[in-house]
């Protein structure tokens, strides 16, 4: 029977430092061996473990996380979910993910607060509008909802945007994906962790992988800060540190790691009901259910692992946001942070097998992998369980960097990188 929490039990728990709080998942110690080890306890790693157990009945699985669940990009992102990518390959995988989002709370029995409030991509020049129309037509051909809006439509939808013709960034129109929106990022990590744990997956926090054990060209386990753990299948899902972990198995990835920043304001009454993005000004904004404005920019252009970022990005970002939304000029910012995003030259992920048998990798989602969390876990579980990529992730093999079959999604990435 489910435990009920009264206001008194919540107060009692608060006063006892949550000593009797029921844990959402077990705190597991590592076993000597597993069928599958997933390195990285972000949303993608946890979703992979969940679908391995749920869809393929493979539950002798450990998720190894060097810090805490969701402490990486999963808990640092600005939570925008959409599937309006240009090329068929990306459109299919992001749309699969969006479909999974639509029933995710029911599926994992955890409210991830997925809110389909619409995502607007603004156009400021004739060329922007041509790109928007092209992408919108491509989305339509892939069965993905997308509308092209005029300036007047945008003004009706978001009246606080400066849509006047003499604005510094005149708005000539926009694309709107109504099924896009936002979700609660921490809940996604917690929900997948709890659901995977209930199916028997071990979630092991504070367990850093320090090496990858190989035997005659095949993976045989991992070295960790908590000892050696054996497994004949290992998945690397360590956004921000994909290259360093892949290097442990002698693999070199076509990936650059950049800081990506975000910031939130003091809470305001509800005023912005749609996500608004502008590639041209490198700024995007939404309002959280708490009332905070959630704001982000493009990547810091240098490579590095410091989760901070430089002030000049914030300055440029906020001046653009204030040009678009003059009403926000006196809003105070509360917090700023950075995450490290792994970026491939074609702004698309790498999902599939590696040259080391039994070793799989899922990385390179750059600035846009939150929206892919369920879809990425779903295809990666299929790939590990069957030893073969699913049709949805086959185009995202690392081999494309040898064959030249790149899928350039810089335009749809939404955030410059
Ligand atoms: P993570 O959550 O980073 O998980 C990887 C985990 O691996 C980490 O927890 C890390 O601690 C762990 N790890 C690393 N090395 C090791 C090791 N050696 N041993 C064990 N564990 C290890 N995407 C969108 O779609 N929409 C957005 O609005 C959006 N906004 C963003 C805003 C910001 C500021 C940032 C930084 C990113 C944003 N993204 C967005 C991108 C998105 O956050 C990521 O693509 C996605 O969260 C990656 O998920 P993940 O589970 O792969 O990675
Ligand atoms: O991919 O939509 C996106 C995104 C928005 C902000 C960061 N990434």
């Amino acid at each position: 029977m489910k435990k009920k929490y009264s206001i008194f039990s919540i107060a009692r728990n608060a006063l006892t430092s949550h000593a009797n709080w029921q844990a959402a998942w077990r705190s597991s110690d590592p076993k000597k061996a597993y069928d599958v080890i997933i390195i990285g306890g972000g949303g993608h790693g946890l979703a992979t473990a969940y679908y391995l157990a749920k869809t393929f009945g493979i539950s002798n699985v450990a998720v190894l996380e060097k810090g805490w669940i969701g402490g990486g990009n999963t808990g640092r992102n600005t939570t925008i979910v959409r599937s309006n990518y240009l090329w068929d390959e990306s459109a299919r995988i992001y749309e699969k993910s969006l479909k999974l989002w639509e029933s995710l709370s029911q599926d994992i029995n955890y409210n991830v607060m997925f809110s389909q409030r619409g995502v607007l991509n603004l156009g400021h020049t004739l060329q922007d509008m041509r790109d928007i129309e092209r992408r919108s037509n491509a989305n339509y051909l892939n069965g993905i909802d997308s509308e092209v809006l005029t300036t007047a439509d945008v003004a009706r939808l978001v009246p606080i945007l400066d849509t006047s013709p003499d604005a510094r960034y005149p708005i000539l129109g926009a694309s709107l994906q109504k099924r896009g929106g936002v979700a609660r990022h921490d809940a996604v990590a917690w929900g997948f962790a709890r659901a995977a744990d209930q199916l028997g997956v071990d979630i092991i926090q504070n367990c850093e992988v320090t090496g990858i054990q190989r035997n005659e060209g095949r993976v045989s386990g991992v070295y960790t800060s908590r000892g050696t753990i054996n497994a004949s299948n290992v998945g690397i899902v360590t956004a921000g540190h994909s290259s360093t972990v892949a290097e442990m198995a002698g693999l070199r990835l076509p990936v650059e790691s950049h800081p990506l920043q975000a910031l939130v304001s003091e809470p305001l009454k509800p005023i912005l009901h749609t996500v608004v993005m502008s590639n041209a000004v490198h700024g995007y904004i939404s309002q959280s259910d708490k009332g905070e404005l959630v704001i982000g920019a493009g990547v810091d252009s240098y490579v590095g692992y410091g989760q901070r970022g430089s002030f000049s990005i914030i300055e440029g970002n906020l001046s653009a946001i204030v040009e678009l939304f003059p009403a926000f000029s006196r809003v105070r910012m509360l917090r700023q942070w950075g995450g490290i995003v792994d970026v491939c030259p074609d702004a698309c992920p790498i999902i599939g097998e590696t040259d080391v048998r039994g070793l799989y990798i899922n990385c390179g989602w750059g600035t846009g992998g939150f929206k892919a969390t369920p879809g990425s876990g779903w295809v990666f579980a299929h790939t590990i369980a069957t030893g073969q990529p699913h049709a949805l992730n086959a185009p995202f093999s690392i081999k494309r960097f040898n064959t030249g079959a790149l899928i350039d999604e810089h335009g749809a990435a939404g955030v410059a990188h």
Side-chain angles (χ1 to χ4, degrees):
M1 202 173 77
K2 284 210 172 111
K3 215 170 170 175
K4 289 206 177 108
Y5 290 99
S6 68
I7 185 82
F8 299 108
S9 79
I10 291 173
R12 194 169 51 247
N13 274 300
L15 293 172
T16 56
S17 304
H18 303 129
N20 303 311
W21 203 263
Q22 196 183 354
W25 58 86
R26 293 166 297 132
S27 174
S28 307
D29 285 325
K31 293 194 286 198
K32 285 209 163 11
Y34 290 91
D35 292 336
V36 181
I37 285 176
I38 301 295
I39 312 176
H44 289 230
L46 293 163
T48 305
Y50 170 68
Y51 291 116
L52 274 171
K54 184 193 163 199
T55 313
F56 298 96
I58 302 173
S59 56
N60 187 22
V61 176
V63 177
L64 308 182
E65 167 53 49
K66 75 173 172 183
W68 66 94
I69 294 302
N73 289 340
T74 297
R76 293 166 182 271
N77 72 81
T78 45
T79 79
I80 298 173
V81 175
R82 58 188 173 85
S83 64
N84 55 354
Y85 281 72
L86 177 66
W87 297 106
D88 297 351
E89 295 87 342
S90 351
R92 284 186 197 123
I93 195 167
Y94 285 105
E95 179 59 18
K96 167 71 189 173
S97 199
L98 183 45
K99 291 227 166 73
L100 289 170
W101 277 110
E102 286 173 332
S103 55
L104 190 61
S105 294
Q106 291 84 349
D107 182 24
I108 60 177
N109 188 27
Y110 202 102
N111 187 0
V112 298
M113 297 169 74
F114 181 46
S115 158
Q116 293 179 291
R117 60 186 65 180
V119 175
L120 205 58
N121 286 91
L122 302 179
H124 303 284
T125 63
L126 195 54
Q127 186 57 42
D128 278 356
M129 289 312 297
R130 286 187 179 136
D131 291 344
I132 280 174
E133 270 158 32
R134 180 179 179 214
R135 183 139 63 96
S136 216
N137 288 336
N139 292 161
Y140 177 78
L141 291 174
N142 274 313
I144 294 172
D145 70 302
S146 177
E147 292 166 36
V148 178
L149 305 190
T150 63
T151 312
D153 297 330
V154 174
R156 265 191 301 276
L157 191 64
V158 189
I160 56 169
L161 264 170
D162 184 356
T163 48
S164 59
D166 58 353
R168 177 159 178 210
Y169 303 117
I171 295 169
L172 304 192
S175 70
L176 172 66
Q177 185 176 24
K178 282 189 177 151
R179 288 166 59 242
V182 291
R184 171 82 203 277
H185 50 10
D186 298 318
V188 175
W190 300 333
F192 271 122
R194 189 179 74 165
D197 171 82
Q198 284 170 350
L199 294 173
V201 169
D202 282 356
I203 292 162
I204 305 168
Q205 304 185 75
N206 297 313
C207 182
E208 178 167 5
V209 170
T210 53
I212 296 182
Q213 197 181 49
R214 283 157 292 155
N215 197 355
E216 295 178 358
R218 198 185 160 99
V219 74
S220 54
V222 295
Y223 305 107
T224 81
S225 53
R226 295 175 67 178
T228 303
I229 313 175
N230 297 316
S232 48
N233 293 287
V234 173
I236 302 174
V237 202
T238 53
H241 291 82
S242 314
S243 321
T244 53
V245 177
E247 204 176 18
M248 296 175 192
L251 303 172
R252 192 153 174 258
L253 300 180
V255 155
E256 278 188 0
S257 303
H258 291 266
L260 179 68
Q261 304 189 54
L263 59 166
V264 293
S265 74
E266 59 189 336
L268 309 177
K269 287 191 176 162
I271 185 153
L272 183 61
H273 309 290
T274 308
V275 179
V276 179
M277 306 182 65
S278 168
N279 287 14
V281 306
H282 301 321
Y284 61 90
I285 181 163
S286 66
Q287 188 170 23
S288 76
D289 294 331
K290 275 195 286 182
E292 299 167 334
L293 299 175
V294 181
I295 298 173
V299 295
D300 281 45
S301 56
Y302 57 88
V303 291
Y305 292 105
Q307 297 190 113
R308 288 179 301 272
S310 51
F311 186 68
S312 63
I313 295 285
I314 303 173
E315 210 176 10
N317 182 212
L318 289 183
S319 54
I321 293 293
V322 168
E323 292 288 350
L324 293 173
F325 296 91
F328 292 155
S329 65
R330 282 178 296 143
V331 175
R332 284 166 296 195
M333 293 299 137
L334 280 194
R335 298 189 299 281
Q336 170 274 352
W337 64 91
I340 306 303
V341 295
D342 284 346
V343 178
C344 286
D346 59 353
C348 277
I350 297 169
I351 322 165
E353 68 274 42
T354 69
D355 286 343
V356 179
R357 272 177 293 126
L359 182 66
Y360 302 87
I361 190 152
N362 183 344
C363 70
W365 291 93
T367 60
F370 177 69
K371 67 177 81 62
T373 304
S376 154
W378 194 87
V379 296
F380 202 42
H382 174 102
T383 306
I384 295 174
T386 63
Q388 298 291 329
H390 187 276
L392 287 176
N393 64 303
F396 298 100
S397 157
I398 195 166
K399 293 196 179 79
R400 73 180 188 274
F401 297 99
N402 295 113
T403 63
L406 303 185
I407 308 160
D408 189 343
E409 284 291 359
H410 279 282
V415 177
H417 67 263

